[in-house]
């Protein structure tokens, strides 16, 4: 039954990766009347709402079950895609952001806890597959979008609704794993989470890495493509190329087994920082694409490592609540980053890339301190 749970979660991850409008998400929003500053403002709003929703969702999951929580969250995901297509103003996209925040915070922590409890022995391997299936879905979606974009920007948005509907139906076929039920206490969860202060250094560093990589590979990449003279019709193919490297997460556990989690994560930060600065100064479309491939590849390798380290830091039964507290912390940082990056775009695209590179350096410092303290604690 545990394997069945994992297979269904992998399938859902793949289906949620089929965001056909991904390569033109920024352009679609702009075609519906949004400015770039409004897009980043909505992203910041999304993060702030997630901050408010994270811990209540974790509490709900630990008390009423992971399956019930995921079922509600996946329905909200489906609803958000419908509203996204229907939106034609800032208010419409704001409503979509509220629904999406509820959905994302509902899944956040709960999916990780569910997979961990379904396969504790090989959790990092399972997280790697979960991440890889998402990348595979986005890869296929990006490739197929190439044939849709020339017709209309609306078509890939409409078609994205279908896989999200299938994903919602699939979650009803999983078997719930253990959860705390009425024994859960939110106050004790906060005390437990904040008793391990060092883990928050790790969470802050990975939040910086994740949000910067997302800004680079989801929003700013499209503007950079235009700047270096890449035609719109190639955006889907380029996005597909970025997702191919996302499949590397399948082998994250083998890389970390050989070199150790600390060394792998530090190299990831260095790769992202170097290539972010390259994006600031290059005018070559070839170097631009290669830099983004390195950033995306490095970032996806960090996902299974991050989920594994966070889950192993939880020593109590109220796993989903504590993971949600961790996610809430990351959301606070992500919200601030979104506002800052949005303001940076008002200066210039080059300045924005330099600013993002500086944020990655800060993240590298945080993660280095985390591992140093962990080494001291173990010894």
């Amino acid at each position: 039954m545990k394997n069945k749970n994992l297979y269904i979660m992998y399938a859902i991850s793949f289906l949620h990766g089929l965001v056909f409008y991904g390569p033109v998400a920024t352009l679609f929003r702009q075609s519906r009347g949004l400015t770039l500053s409004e897009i980043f403002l909505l992203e910041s709003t999304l993060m702030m709402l997630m901050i408010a929703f994270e811990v209540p969702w974790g509490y709900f999951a630990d008390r009423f079950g992971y399956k019930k929580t995921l079922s509600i969250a996946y329905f909200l995901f489906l609803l958000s895609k419908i509203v996204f297509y229907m939106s034609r103003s800032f208010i419409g996209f704001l409503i979509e952001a509220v629904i999406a925040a509820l959905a994302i915070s509902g899944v956040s922590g709960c999916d990780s806890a569910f997979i961990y409890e379904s396969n504790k022995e090989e959790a990092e391997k399972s997280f790697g597959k979960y991440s890889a299936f998402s990348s595979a879905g986005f890869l296929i979606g990006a490739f197929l979008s190439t044939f849709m974009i020339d017709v209309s920007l609306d078509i890939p948005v409409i078609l994205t609704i279908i896989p999200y509907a299938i994903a919602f139906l699939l979650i009803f076929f999983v078997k719930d794993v253990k959860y705390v039920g009425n024994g859960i206490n939110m106050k004790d969860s906060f005390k437990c989470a904040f008793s391990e202060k060092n883990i928050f250094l790790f969470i802050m560093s990975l939040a910086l890495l994740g949000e910067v990589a997302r800004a680079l590979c989801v929003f700013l990449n499209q503007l950079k493509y235009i700047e270096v003279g890449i035609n719109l019709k190639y955006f889907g193919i380029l996005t597909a190329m970025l997702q191919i490297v996302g499949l590397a997460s399948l082998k994250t556990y083998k890389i970390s087994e050989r070199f150790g989690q600390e060394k792998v994560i530090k190299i990831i930060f260095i790769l992202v920082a170097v290539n972010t600065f390259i994006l600031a100064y290059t005018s070559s479309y070839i170097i631009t694409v290669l830099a983004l491939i390195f950033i995306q590849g490095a970032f996806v390798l960090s996902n299974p490592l991050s989920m594994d380290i966070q889950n192993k830091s939880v020593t109590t039964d109220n796993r989903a609540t504590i993971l949600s507290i961790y996610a809430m912390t990351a959301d606070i940082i992500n919200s601030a980053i979104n506002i800052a990056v949005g303001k940076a775009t008002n200066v210039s695209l080059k300045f924005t890339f330099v600013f993002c590179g500086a944020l990655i350096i800060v993240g590298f410092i945080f993660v280095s301190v985390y591992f140093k303290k962990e080494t001291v604690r173990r010894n």
Side-chain angles (χ1 to χ4, degrees):
M1 187 58 68
K2 287 184 176 181
N3 282 338
K4 179 185 174 184
N5 282 350
L6 293 176
Y7 294 148
I8 291 174
M9 291 303 292
Y10 297 156
I12 290 174
S13 180
F14 173 79
L15 290 165
H16 273 204
L18 291 172
V19 182
F20 298 113
Y21 64 82
V24 290
T26 300
L27 301 181
F28 175 80
R29 291 178 173 95
Q30 288 179 324
S31 73
R32 294 295 181 93
L34 296 186
T35 65
L36 194 60
S37 294
E38 286 177 329
I39 292 172
F40 276 100
L41 176 60
L42 284 171
E43 287 296 304
S44 298
T45 302
L46 176 73
M47 293 300 172
M48 287 186 281
L49 289 170
M50 287 167 58
I51 292 167
F53 299 149
E54 283 283 4
V55 178
W57 266 121
Y59 174 84
F60 183 91
D62 279 326
R63 182 164 187 178
F64 298 104
Y66 299 154
K67 179 178 178 178
K68 186 177 293 185
T69 305
L70 290 172
S71 299
I72 297 170
Y74 287 141
F75 170 74
L76 290 170
F77 259 125
L78 171 60
L79 182 61
S80 73
K81 297 306 174 187
I82 296 171
V83 175
F84 183 80
Y85 169 69
M86 296 173 64
S87 298
R88 295 183 178 277
S89 66
F90 181 83
I91 296 299
F93 284 105
L94 178 61
I95 294 171
E96 183 269 334
V98 174
I99 300 171
L102 281 166
I104 295 169
S105 55
V107 172
S108 174
C110 187
D111 61 343
S112 173
F114 183 72
I115 291 171
Y116 186 82
E117 292 290 351
S118 294
N119 189 23
K120 287 183 179 180
E121 296 78 15
E122 297 180 301
E124 188 179 326
K125 183 177 180 180
S126 298
F127 290 140
K129 289 183 177 180
Y130 185 62
S131 179
F133 272 100
S134 177
S135 296
F138 200 77
L139 164 63
I140 293 173
F143 176 74
L144 293 177
S145 72
T146 303
F147 305 101
M148 307 172 193
I149 293 169
D150 281 340
V151 181
S152 169
L153 289 177
D154 289 354
I155 291 176
V157 181
I158 296 171
L159 293 180
T160 298
I161 295 170
I162 297 173
Y164 274 72
I166 298 172
F168 168 60
L169 296 175
L170 279 178
I171 194 61
F172 291 100
F173 294 94
V174 302
K175 182 176 176 59
D176 216 346
V177 293
K178 70 167 188 173
Y179 55 93
V180 180
N182 292 327
I184 178 67
N185 184 293
M186 192 176 292
K187 183 179 179 181
D188 290 341
S189 295
F190 271 97
K191 285 183 179 179
C192 180
F194 285 100
S195 66
E196 297 291 336
K197 295 181 176 60
N198 195 37
I199 190 65
F200 285 95
L201 277 174
F202 178 79
I203 292 166
M204 286 189 288
S205 66
L206 268 292
L208 284 165
L209 176 71
E211 197 57 30
V212 167
R214 182 168 178 267
L216 293 172
C217 296
V218 176
F219 298 104
L220 300 176
N221 62 330
Q222 296 170 39
L223 303 179
K224 186 65 180 182
Y225 291 156
I226 293 172
E227 182 183 78
V228 297
I230 298 175
N231 194 292
L232 178 63
K233 66 181 180 181
Y234 297 117
F235 280 25
I237 295 173
L238 290 171
T239 303
M241 288 173 61
L242 291 182
Q243 293 307 309
I244 289 174
V245 297
L247 300 177
S249 60
L250 279 168
K251 300 298 180 182
T252 300
Y253 74 99
K254 286 189 175 294
I255 298 172
S256 66
E257 282 176 359
R258 182 171 180 178
F259 299 103
Q261 291 182 330
E262 178 179 356
K263 186 176 290 186
V264 173
I265 289 176
K266 286 182 177 179
I267 291 173
I268 286 170
F269 272 90
I270 293 170
L271 278 173
V272 174
V274 169
N275 283 283
T276 301
F277 286 120
I278 287 173
L279 285 173
Y281 295 98
T282 186
S283 58
S284 166
Y285 68 88
I286 294 176
I287 295 176
T288 293
V289 172
L290 288 175
L292 286 165
I293 286 174
F294 277 115
I295 291 170
Q296 178 71 7
F299 167 63
V300 297
L301 286 175
S302 72
N303 285 331
L305 293 168
S306 176
M307 286 190 281
D308 186 59
I309 290 172
Q310 289 185 51
N311 269 279
K312 285 179 179 176
S313 73
V314 180
T315 56
T316 59
D317 289 331
N318 49 340
R319 181 175 303 278
T321 306
I322 292 178
L323 289 175
S324 291
I325 292 171
Y326 293 167
M328 179 189 70
T329 304
D331 291 341
I332 293 171
I333 298 167
N334 292 341
S335 179
I337 292 171
N338 262 296
I339 294 172
V341 172
K343 293 291 184 183
T345 60
N346 292 329
V347 179
S348 70
L349 190 58
K350 178 181 178 179
F351 175 80
T352 306
F353 286 129
V354 172
F355 178 69
C356 287
L359 290 176
I360 296 299
I361 292 174
V362 173
F364 178 80
I365 295 170
F366 284 164
V367 83
S368 297
V369 174
Y370 162 77
F371 280 114
K372 185 176 181 179
K373 288 188 175 182
E374 280 297 296
T375 301
V376 171
R377 186 176 65 83
R378 291 193 204 103
N379 296 334

